[in-house]
Amino acid sequence: MRLDLLPVGTRAQVESVENVGSLTQRLMEMGVAPGAKVRLVRLAPLGDPLEIEVNDSLLALRKTEARLVLVRAAADRA
Amino acid sequence: MNPTLATPRLRIALIGNPNTGKSTLFNALTGLRQRVANYPGVTVEKKIGRFRLDGGEVELVDLPGTYSLAAHSPDEMLTVSLLSGEISEERPVDAVLAIVDSSNLERNLYLVSQLLDLGLPLIVALNRVDVARRKGMRIDPFLLERRLGAPVVLMRADRGEGLDRLLEILGQWLNTPPRPPLPEQPFQWPTPIARALSDLRARANHREWEIPASDAHLARLLIDEGGAAEERWSTTPARKKWLRRARCPPADDAVPLSALEVRSRYRWIQQITEGIIERRPSQSFPTDRIDRVLTHRIAGVLIFALLMIGLFETIFRGAQPAMNAIEALFAWFGVAVGDAIPDQEIQLGIRRPGALESLLVDGAIAGISGVVVFLPQILLLFLLIGILEDCGYMARAAFLMDRVMSFCGLSGKSFIPMLSGFACAIPAVMGTRVIENRRDRLATILVTPLMTCSARLPVYTLLIAAFIPDSTLLGGVLGLQAATMAALYALGILSAMVMAALLKRTLLRGPTPPFVLELPTYQWPCVRSLGLRLLDRAMAFLRRAGTVIFAVSVLVWAAAYFPRSATIDAEFAARSAGMNSESRSAQSVESTRPDPAESEESLESPTCLDRSREWEAAHLENSFAARLGRQLEPVFRPLGWDWRITVATLLSLPAREVIVATLGTLFSLGEGLSENDTSLQSALQRAAWPDGRPLFTLGVALSVMVFFALCCQCWSTVIVIRREANSWSWALFTFGYMTILAYVGGAVAHEIGELA
C-alpha cells in the first residue's frame, strides 16, 4: 500500500522506497527507510502535504513524495 | 576585539542536523566574537567565531544544518569540501564538534556515522537532554562514548549546561593533540560500495584522472546520483559513462548504492544504540496536543491568518514610531549641520545653502537616513520571525501553506519571506535564509520585491487622492479610492506569483526539491541566541548596504545639483532686486521704527520661500538629471510622462518614496511636503504640457502608480539581493526585469486609463 493512501492515524511499516535519485536518498536518510515504523499523523488543511511520525520525529512530505513509499499497514492500531 | 588577531591553536567545525540547537551552542561558545564571510559561488555564509581557553585560541566554523553529507547543491558540497580540507585558501579543520538531538538519537547518529569516516577527532554534544527526558527517553552517555570511541557530552545548550565539560575536553585537546575516534565496531562500507570505491581509485590512477583525495569526498562522488560532487567531476562523456557503470553493481544486487549506504548505516546505528536508550511510556506529549490545534484544518488556518496579520501589522505600524524618530533625528542633524555652515547669499533676501552644505545635508545625511530608517522594520521582523522559528511554529506555517505556494512552483517555506515583503523587501530578502534549496531561495529573493512594500504607500496615497474620484462602487460598499489601492496590492501579489512560476520554469528550472520538512518539538526560544542573531543581521545590513547606498545617494545628489548655472543666479538676482526694493519701501511706510528682527523675519515670508524654491527648481531644471530626463522623455512617451515625471522617477532610484519630494521640487513647491499635502495634490492637478493639455490624466496617474508597483526603485533592495544571492548578476537581473515589467505595465495602464 502506498503511504499517501494510508488512513490518518494508521501505523505501518515501510517495505520499500522507489528509487528516483536524490529525493529517495533524502527520504531514507531522514528515516523513511525499509523496516522503519511510520504513522500517518494528519493531512494539511488542503489535503497536501501530509505529516508522518517516523522514529522519534515528525516529518511533513508531499503526496508526490509519499507515493514513492510502499508500506504494510499494521493490523492492530496500537 | 578583533578576532583575526592571534592564529588559533585549534580549528573546529560545528555540524549537526537542523533544529538541534546548533546556533544556540555556537553563540554560547563564541558570544560576540563572531564574523561572517562569504564563499564564492554559494549562498551560504561562513560564520566563524572564536573563544579563548587556557591553552590558547579556539576557532569554531559554523556549518549549515544538514541531515547527511550527501550533497545535492554547491551549498551542501561546501560542507564536504571543508571537512575534507579541500578548500585551498583555507586552513583545514583540526576536529569536528557534532551536535546531536538526544530526543531523536537514531536519525541524528546517521550524520555522526558519516563524520566518523572523516578520520578527524570528534566530540559528540548530546543536546536537548531535557526534551528526551520529557519524551520518556534516558540515554547512557558512557556506553555511547565507549561504542563511538569519541567523547560524548550531555548538554542543554540553551541553559549552558554541559558547556564546562565540553570546554574541558577542548582544553585537553589544546595541550595534547587529539586523536581520531576509535569506535568499538567501526562502520564498514557494504561490499558493493567498498569494491566500487577501490575500483574507482584504481581506474582513476590508470587513466590519470584526478579524483578527490579524501575517501569521504570520493564516496559522495560515487554514491550521490545527480549530486554536486558528480556535477563537478564528470566533465567528460568518458567520466560520466564510467561513473554510471561503477554505480551499477552486478545484476543480482539491484539496490542502488545510495539505498545501500542508508541501509547499512542504519543497521550500524542499531548496533551502536543497542541498550543505550531506555524508553519509558512517555507522559502526555505536548507537541502533539499543540499541533492538534495549530495544524487543525479550521482552527489552525484561523490562528495562522491571525498570526500573519499580527506580524504584518507589527512590522507595518509597530516600527513607525522608531522610523519617525530616526527620520526626525537625521532631519535635526541635517538642520544642525546646515546651520553650522554659513549660507551663500544669492542676492538681497535670498540665501541658499552652498554646495558643501547641500552635499552634506541633501546627499550624505539624507542618504544615510534613507538606509537607517529601515532598521526598526528589519529588527522587528527578525525578532518575530526568530521567535516563530525557534519555538518551532515556522515549520508548521510552511506545512499549512505548502499547497498554496506550490501553484507557483515554490514551497511553503517561501511564504513567510514573501509575506514580510509587504512591509519591506529588505528584511524579507534576508529572511529567505530559511529556504535550503538554492533555486527556490533565489526565486523567492527575485520576486519578493514585487510585494507592495510600505515605501510605495506615499506614492499611491498622493496620486490616488489627487486623481481617483472619491466615488463608491457596488452601491456604496466599496470606495473607488480604496478599490484602487487594493488593486495595486493585488497587482503586486499576482505579478510575484506569475514571475515565480516563470522563473521556476525557465532560469531556475530544476528538479522539484524534496519537501521533506521536519516539524520540530515545540520549545521556548533562547533569548541570548535570538539577541545575537538580531545584532548580526542589523550589523550586516548597516555595514554592507550602508556603504553602497550612501555612494549612490551622493551620485544622485550630484546629478540633481550640478551644473550650477551662473545665468540662473543672475536672472534671479535681477528679479529679486526689483521685488525687494518694492517690499522695503512698503515696509518703511508702515512702521516708523525699522526693526532689525522684522526684516530678518521677512526673509522667511511666503513670497521669499516661494522665490527661493523657484530658484531651486530653476537649477534643478538645468541639472544633469533634468537634461537626461528631457533626453529620455520620448522613451517614456508610451507611459504618457513628461520630462518632469521622468526626472522624478530617475531621482527616486535610491528609494521610491523620494519621488514625492522630487515631484514637489519640480512642480516648484519646495521640499518637506508630505503625501497628504493638498497643495502638492492641486499642483499636480494643475500641471500641464506646454500646449496647455493637462499632464496628469487618469492614464498618466495610473501609469505612474503601476510603474511604482512593479519597479525596483530601491537601492537597499538591490544591495541586499546582491549580498544574499552572493552575486551582482542576480541583483542587476532583478532590477532589470522589474524595470521592464514596470515600463510595460505602465504603458498598458496608460492605454487603459486613456480609454476609460
Side-chain angles (χ1 to χ4, degrees):
Chain A
M1 173 181 224
R2 275 165 25 191
L3 177 59
D4 61 312
L5 300 175
L6 205 66
V8 171
T10 322
R11 286 173 198 279
Q13 188 163 25
V14 177
E15 292 201 308
S16 65
V17 186
E18 192 188 323
N19 182 35
V20 293
S22 67
L23 172 56
T24 312
Q25 195 179 0
R26 181 58 45 92
L27 269 176
M28 301 217 303
E29 285 167 349
M30 290 183 78
V32 190
K37 290 187 177 68
V38 295
R39 181 170 70 99
L40 187 69
V41 182
R42 61 174 64 84
L43 303 176
L46 292 169
D48 194 19
L50 39 87
E51 180 183 339
I52 61 165
E53 190 188 312
V54 58
N55 292 338
D56 293 302
S57 53
L58 297 169
L59 297 183
L61 51 151
R62 287 183 179 160
K63 280 194 166 168
T64 47
E65 285 146 15
R67 201 169 290 158
L68 305 171
V69 183
L70 286 182
V71 296
R72 193 178 53 221
D76 56 326
R77 289 186 52 182
Chain B
M1 183 168 164
N2 189 345
T4 50
L5 277 178
T7 25
R9 294 273 311 278
L10 209 55
R11 188 170 153 90
I12 296 175
L14 174 62
I15 188 168
N17 288 9
N19 309 307
T20 45
K22 191 166 63 66
S23 56
T24 306
L25 178 59
F26 183 79
N27 288 331
L29 283 171
T30 64
L32 284 170
R33 295 190 57 198
Q34 308 180 358
R35 69 197 156 90
V36 176
N38 282 313
Y39 289 101
V42 292
T43 52
V44 289
E45 278 182 334
K46 166 163 65 172
K47 212 162 157 200
I48 293 174
R50 289 209 180 179
F51 53 97
R52 250 204 105 68
L53 290 176
D54 272 347
E57 283 275 305
V58 179
E59 186 168 78
L60 199 60
V61 184
D62 189 20
L63 295 174
T66 180
Y67 295 104
S68 150
L69 289 185
H72 296 284
S73 71
D75 291 2
E76 290 170 341
M77 196 59 216
L78 181 77
T79 300
V80 179
S81 306
L82 198 133
L83 289 173
S84 324
E86 286 164 358
I87 298 179
S88 49
E89 59 272 28
E90 214 173 291
R91 176 180 155 188
V93 293
D94 304 307
V96 178
L97 170 56
I99 183 161
V100 159
D101 180 356
S102 319
S103 68
N104 193 351
L105 190 63
E106 282 103 333
R107 198 204 55 214
N108 276 257
L109 283 178
Y110 187 88
L111 179 65
V112 172
S113 85
Q114 290 178 324
L115 294 174
L116 284 168
D117 290 354
L118 294 169
L120 284 172
L122 177 78
I123 306 181
V124 176
L126 271 185
N127 196 25
R128 304 177 82 194
V129 281
D130 53 316
V131 182
R133 211 169 295 138
R134 262 186 279 135
K135 277 187 173 176
M137 296 163 67
R138 292 258 311 246
I139 296 165
D140 181 345
F142 304 106
L143 195 52
L144 185 63
E145 182 165 312
R146 214 169 65 215
R147 293 212 179 135
L148 290 176
V152 170
V153 185
L154 287 182
M155 291 202 70
R156 273 196 71 179
D158 54 342
R159 291 215 182 161
E161 289 170 24
L163 272 183
D164 292 347
R165 168 114 172 82
L166 184 65
L167 293 175
E168 192 186 311
I169 296 170
L170 290 175
Q172 287 166 8
W173 283 10
L174 277 168
N175 296 319
T176 46
R179 275 176 313 189
L182 281 171
E184 271 186 355
Q185 287 174 297
F187 170 75
Q188 302 281 346
W189 285 113
T191 326
I193 296 182
R195 208 189 298 138
L197 277 173
S198 59
D199 207 27
L200 185 54
R201 278 221 186 280
R203 291 273 184 126
N205 205 16
H206 178 65
R207 292 230 188 174
E208 292 184 347
W209 278 342
E210 207 176 295
I211 52 164
S214 75
D215 276 337
H217 191 162
L218 190 69
R220 292 325 342 146
L221 169 63
L222 179 73
I223 296 170
D224 304 342
E225 280 175 50
E230 175 185 340
E231 207 162 297
R232 198 189 285 177
W233 185 77
S234 11
T235 43
T236 62
R239 288 185 175 195
K240 280 197 185 90
K241 191 174 153 208
W242 198 86
L243 198 60
R244 220 174 21 243
R245 215 180 312 148
R247 279 174 182 161
C248 272
D252 55 303
D253 198 346
V255 183
L257 297 185
S258 55
L260 210 56
E261 182 194 7
V262 178
R263 204 196 280 170
S264 39
R265 286 201 190 274
Y266 270 111
R267 206 171 292 146
W268 179 84
I269 290 165
Q270 257 177 10
Q271 290 172 7
I272 289 286
T273 53
E274 181 77 57
I276 280 182
I277 313 174
E278 181 192 325
R279 279 171 204 272
R280 265 177 284 164
S282 63
Q283 316 97 308
S284 62
F285 186 34
T287 291
D288 199 37
R289 273 182 293 141
I290 298 171
D291 265 345
R292 252 173 244 170
V293 180
L294 289 187
T295 56
H296 187 266
R297 56 183 58 207
I298 296 159
V301 174
L302 245 139
I303 293 170
F304 173 73
L306 285 175
L307 267 174
M308 291 305 116
I309 293 170
L311 180 86
F312 179 58
E313 282 286 303
T314 316
I315 313 166
F316 200 65
R317 291 190 212 292
Q320 212 55 54
M323 292 172 83
N324 291 345
I326 288 176
E327 275 180 335
L329 185 74
F330 274 95
W332 170 83
F333 186 57
V335 170
V337 170
D339 286 349
I341 302 171
D343 281 354
Q344 189 187 359
E345 177 130 23
I346 306 301
Q347 189 58 49
L348 294 165
I350 302 186
R351 277 201 223 146
R352 289 301 291 178
L356 174 69
E357 182 179 337
S358 182
L359 168 66
L360 287 177
V361 177
D362 304 331
I365 295 177
I368 297 172
S369 155
V371 176
V372 177
V373 78
F374 290 119
L375 203 58
Q377 284 190 331
I378 291 182
L379 289 179
L380 255 182
L381 180 75
F382 276 113
L383 176 68
L384 297 177
I385 285 191
I387 293 172
L388 290 180
E389 215 176 333
D390 285 6
C391 74
Y393 184 76
M394 208 55 122
R396 272 77 185 181
F399 176 69
L400 290 173
M401 289 312 295
D402 182 64
R403 186 83 189 87
V404 178
M405 297 305 287
S406 69
F407 284 124
C408 54
L410 295 173
S411 82
K413 296 174 196 169
S414 299
F415 184 80
I416 305 271
M418 284 175 75
L419 179 98
S420 322
F422 277 124
C424 177
I426 295 150
V429 166
M430 291 163 90
T432 59
R433 288 184 195 178
V434 293
I435 309 166
E436 304 102 41
N437 181 269
R438 183 185 160 83
R439 272 184 235 100
D440 274 18
R441 182 164 172 224
L442 268 175
T444 312
I445 289 177
L446 265 44
V447 303
T448 296
L450 283 169
M451 304 308 256
T452 304
C453 69
S454 53
R456 283 160 168 113
L457 281 177
V459 189
Y460 292 172
T461 323
L462 172 70
L463 292 175
I464 286 178
F467 300 106
I468 305 295
D470 192 10
S471 57
T472 53
L473 295 172
L474 304 171
V477 183
L478 187 63
L480 187 58
Q481 293 189 332
T484 311
M485 187 70 99
L488 287 165
Y489 269 85
L491 178 71
I493 300 171
L494 200 72
S495 47
M497 299 202 69
V498 171
M499 271 314 293
L502 273 177
L503 283 167
K504 288 286 292 180
R505 277 178 184 74
T506 55
L507 284 176
L508 299 173
R509 191 200 195 110
T512 313
F515 181 75
V516 186
L517 177 73
E518 187 178 0
L519 302 173
T521 317
Y522 286 111
Q523 58 174 4
W524 292 109
C526 171
V527 178
R528 180 186 155 87
S529 186
L530 200 60
L532 280 169
R533 229 156 61 219
L534 276 182
L535 192 71
D536 177 49
R537 299 283 153 95
M539 291 312 290
F541 171 72
L542 286 181
R543 202 167 34 228
R544 309 239 189 134
T547 45
V548 182
I549 293 163
F550 171 67
V552 172
S553 314
V554 171
L555 272 179
V556 170
W557 166 84
Y561 190 82
F562 292 109
R564 297 312 261 191
S565 153
T567 4
I568 293 177
D569 286 353
E571 224 170 79
F572 266 78
R575 261 169 61 195
S576 61
M579 285 162 91
N580 265 320
S581 58
E582 270 170 41
S583 71
R584 288 231 169 138
S585 56
Q587 228 170 42
S588 59
V589 173
E590 258 172 45
S591 64
T592 43
R593 247 181 333 137
D595 189 353
E598 206 172 279
S599 63
E600 192 65 25
E601 211 174 292
S602 70
L603 291 179
E604 300 296 321
S605 71
T607 40
C608 244
L609 266 178
D610 273 355
R611 245 186 299 150
S612 75
R613 279 167 187 163
E614 266 172 43
W615 172 81
E616 200 59 65
H619 271 297
L620 184 52
E621 276 184 39
N622 183 50
S623 68
F624 292 124
R627 291 178 199 182
L628 187 64
R630 285 206 193 79
Q631 292 284 315
L632 286 177
E633 198 185 275
V635 178
F636 287 93
R637 237 338 117 63
L639 284 77
W641 296 4
D642 76 339
W643 71 269
R644 284 174 294 187
I645 307 177
T646 308
V647 168
T649 306
L650 287 180
L651 292 185
S652 66
L653 208 65
R656 288 179 184 86
E657 61 273 30
V658 169
I659 196 179
V660 175
T662 322
L663 285 175
T665 313
L666 279 169
F667 290 90
S668 205
L669 278 155
E671 301 138 29
L673 285 172
S674 75
E675 59 271 22
N676 297 323
D677 198 316
T678 45
S679 58
L680 178 53
Q681 272 180 39
S682 49
L684 293 182
Q685 284 161 350
R686 278 196 311 271
W689 290 94
D691 62 10
R693 280 181 297 130
L695 171 62
F696 279 95
T697 57
L698 180 62
V700 172
L702 281 180
S703 83
V704 174
M705 284 191 285
V706 169
F707 186 93
F708 275 83
L710 300 175
C711 71
C712 189
Q713 305 271 87
C714 174
W715 265 104
S716 310
T717 302
V718 177
I719 300 305
V720 163
I721 292 177
R722 195 222 78 84
R723 185 178 125 72
E724 292 298 314
N726 200 6
S727 116
W728 269 112
S729 355
W730 284 120
L732 295 176
F733 172 80
T734 309
F735 181 79
Y737 96 76
M738 285 181 71
T739 306
I740 294 170
L741 209 61
Y743 181 85
V744 174
V748 171
H750 180 235
E751 287 305 312
I752 293 173
E754 295 302 286
L755 285 177

